[in-house]
Amino acid sequence: MTREAGRRQSSDEQALLLVAGLADLAVSTLGSAVGAVRGLLRRSDAAELAAQAEHDLTARGRLVLDRYAAVSPAHLEILARHVSARKSADDG
């Protein structure tokens, strides 16, 4: 499907070209990802690498849940409670 000089593309042709371009991009990206996974599987420290990835993902998940789950108390409020607890412990 070549485009002649001076001829405008129809919307169908343009849509087809966009879909074909996206498909090509997806295939090349998938090919690169498969190659990277194969390279990782050949490593001698694959088990350690997987354990580290699991640890990193767990930490990241904890951060996300902490960020969106519940509103934490204000930092100054926490400090004030610590000071109050220390003063009452020193007085008692």
Side-chain angles (χ1 to χ4, degrees), residues 12 26 34-35 45 57 65-66:
D12 290 341
V34 168
D45 61 344
L57 286 174
L65 289 179
D66 288 347

Side-chain angles (χ1 to χ4, degrees), residues 7-89:
R7 185 181 140 215
R8 291 189 48 95
Q9 291 179 335
S10 69
S11 60
D12 290 341
E13 283 179 304
Q14 187 174 4
L16 180 63
L17 291 174
L18 285 172
V19 169
L22 284 171
D24 183 56
L25 178 63
V27 168
S28 66
T29 301
L30 183 63
S32 297
V34 168
V37 168
R38 283 184 184 160
L40 289 175
L41 291 176
R42 286 189 209 120
R43 292 178 58 138
S44 62
D45 61 344
E48 293 172 20
L49 192 62
Q52 183 63 39
E54 180 182 0
H55 180 266
D56 290 347
L57 286 174
T58 303
R60 186 180 193 106
R62 186 175 297 117
L63 288 172
V64 168
L65 289 179
D66 288 347
R67 184 181 315 141
Y68 296 110
V71 177
S72 60
H75 180 69
L76 291 177
E77 178 69 24
I78 293 171
L79 291 176
R81 288 180 187 173
H82 284 292
V83 169
S84 177
R86 282 188 185 167
K87 282 185 181 179
S88 59

